[in-house]
Amino acid sequence: MSDVTEPMRLPGDPTSRARLARMIRVDHAGEYGAKQIYAGQLAVLGRSRHGDTLRHMQQQEQHHLDTFARLIIERRVRPTALLPFWRIAGFALGAATAAMGSRAAMACTVAVEETIDAHYAAQTAELGEDEGVLRATIEEFRAEEVEHRDIGLANEAEQAPFYRLLTAVIRTGCKAAIVASERL
């Protein structure tokens, strides 16, 4: 098993193996949640002019999810116990923002993808040379998440009602989901 770069550990700090397991667990959970968000948006906007765009992004999230599902098995990482909750919460977030209109759905995409971009950047900075394949995978997925954010911005996300408040709430929820999924 390869290790994450091992900084000086203090008593009680997780081992490099535990940190790596947390990364894979949370990334799997995040991609699962993202797929559910797009499923919720598609349930409302699937027949609109945004349907094909949402399907494209959902397909990319499915690829990310499949990759992390494989890593969960290969690396013997316990998935988060919160997957049933993320299924419901992700779908509800997607459907609720889509029900507010396509701009709100795109604002949701922007908020989620900006949070994931920062999260993936932190992970790649932490991964050691011995995890080059995982780092490259995360960087590839990060680029696609940035593409999704750009799609949201190109589709008038910033013109959504209460854009700043909506995206701030969603970002906060994403950050809380990251912390919970790493540990539970």
Side-chain angles (χ1 to χ4, degrees):
M1 164 74 55
S2 296
D3 289 334
V4 175
T5 302
E6 189 70 57
M8 181 181 218
R9 283 186 56 227
L10 298 174
D13 284 350
T15 64
S16 58
R17 180 167 173 14
R19 288 194 326 270
L20 186 60
R22 282 183 176 184
M23 282 184 191
I24 293 169
R25 178 177 15 271
V26 73
D27 292 352
H28 175 258
E31 298 299 349
Y32 182 81
K35 181 186 168 218
Q36 296 305 317
I37 291 169
Y38 286 118
Q41 290 178 344
L42 281 164
V44 176
L45 297 172
R47 293 186 178 174
S48 74
R49 68 181 179 92
H50 297 286
D52 288 340
T53 300
L54 294 170
R55 275 185 283 283
H56 165 73
M57 292 188 290
Q58 185 187 42
Q59 288 169 352
Q60 287 182 317
E61 300 297 356
Q62 181 65 58
H63 171 66
H64 302 174
L65 175 59
D66 292 344
T67 300
F68 283 113
R70 188 189 81 248
L71 288 170
I72 287 267
I73 294 166
E74 288 175 1
R75 303 278 186 116
R76 297 177 146 194
V77 173
R78 174 189 55 79
T80 181
L82 297 172
L83 284 181
F85 179 75
W86 298 146
R87 180 173 190 236
I88 294 165
F91 188 91
L93 176 61
T97 56
M100 294 169 60
S102 62
R103 290 174 174 164
M106 294 297 168
C108 175
T109 295
V110 168
V112 170
E113 303 300 15
E114 285 180 348
T115 305
I116 299 308
D117 174 34
H119 171 73
Y120 278 166
Q123 284 186 339
T124 58
E126 184 178 346
L127 288 169
E129 291 300 316
D130 54 341
E131 286 292 348
V133 173
L134 179 58
R135 186 183 323 108
T137 298
I138 291 172
E139 280 295 331
E140 174 190 337
F141 293 172
R142 181 178 173 212
E144 290 176 354
E145 307 297 4
V146 170
E147 173 192 335
H148 298 173
R149 180 209 57 208
D150 292 347
I151 289 169
L153 291 171
N155 281 279
E156 303 177 338
E158 294 172 308
Q159 294 177 26
F162 306 105
Y163 173 78
R164 289 182 192 265
L165 177 62
L166 180 63
T167 55
V169 168
I170 293 169
R171 278 189 200 100
T172 300
C174 288
K175 290 174 185 175
I178 288 168
V179 170
S181 292
E182 283 177 334
R183 289 165 177 78
L184 300 177

